[in-house]
Amino acid sequence: KGKKMSQERIRTQAHVGILVPQYGYGRTSPSVLAKGKPLPARDMYVEFHPLDNRLPYMLVPRHTVATEFVQDPFKFAPPNESLFLVALSKWEEGFRFPKGRYIGHLGEAGEIGPET
């Protein structure tokens, strides 16, 4: 009871986490990305990693995220980890990750404002 979140709460609530370029099979390899360079045009989604580990990673359409992130994703990477707000939009049957809806950029991790 304490660890599980209700399905309705997950769907309707916005979640805090970080955005990262997609890595792995059929995705961008870390060697393709370079500091100061934009995400490759073939990448349609970015991964959202919620801070709440009870939630799954989400795929957020690249055209909905902040332009600054698409132009230089490393600007938001550690040690300057930025927090973003994303809501789960839909989770289709047979898909590993749900789709998320980008809401906004909260600020840097570790600062009092975005963390509260």
Side-chain angles (χ1 to χ4, degrees), residues 6-29:
S6 75
Q7 293 289 339
E8 187 60 30
R9 182 174 176 202
I10 290 172
R11 276 195 299 271
T12 58
Q13 193 174 36
H15 307 286
V16 175
I18 60 171
L19 289 175
V20 295
Q22 289 185 300
Y23 299 124
Y25 179 74
R27 300 177 184 167
T28 299
S29 68

Side-chain angles (χ1 to χ4, degrees), residues 2-6 9-10 13-18 48-58 83-84:
K3 281 261 183 191
K4 284 196 166 190
M5 295 179 81
S6 75
R9 182 174 176 202
I10 290 172
Q13 193 174 36
H15 307 286
V16 175
I18 60 171
F48 173 73
H49 296 194
L51 295 182
D52 186 343
N53 62 6
R54 298 174 291 179
L55 299 168
Y57 290 174
M58 294 180 219
L83 298 177
F84 295 90

Side-chain angles (χ1 to χ4, degrees), residues 13-92:
Q13 193 174 36
H15 307 286
V16 175
I18 60 171
L19 289 175
V20 295
Q22 289 185 300
Y23 299 124
Y25 179 74
R27 300 177 184 167
T28 299
S29 68
S31 61
V32 171
L33 296 170
K35 197 171 199 171
K37 293 204 174 181
L39 288 174
R42 71 172 188 262
D43 290 353
M44 295 177 58
Y45 296 95
V46 295
E47 286 182 9
F48 173 73
H49 296 194
L51 295 182
D52 186 343
N53 62 6
R54 298 174 291 179
L55 299 168
Y57 290 174
M58 294 180 219
L59 298 178
V60 180
R62 141 198 197 122
H63 68 275
T64 64
V65 299
T67 309
E68 296 85 23
F69 181 84
V70 174
Q71 293 304 318
D72 186 9
F74 281 99
K75 183 174 145 186
F76 300 94
N80 308 326
E81 222 166 61
S82 289
L83 298 177
F84 295 90
L85 204 55
V86 170
L88 191 145
S89 59
K90 67 179 176 178
W91 198 341
E92 297 172 11

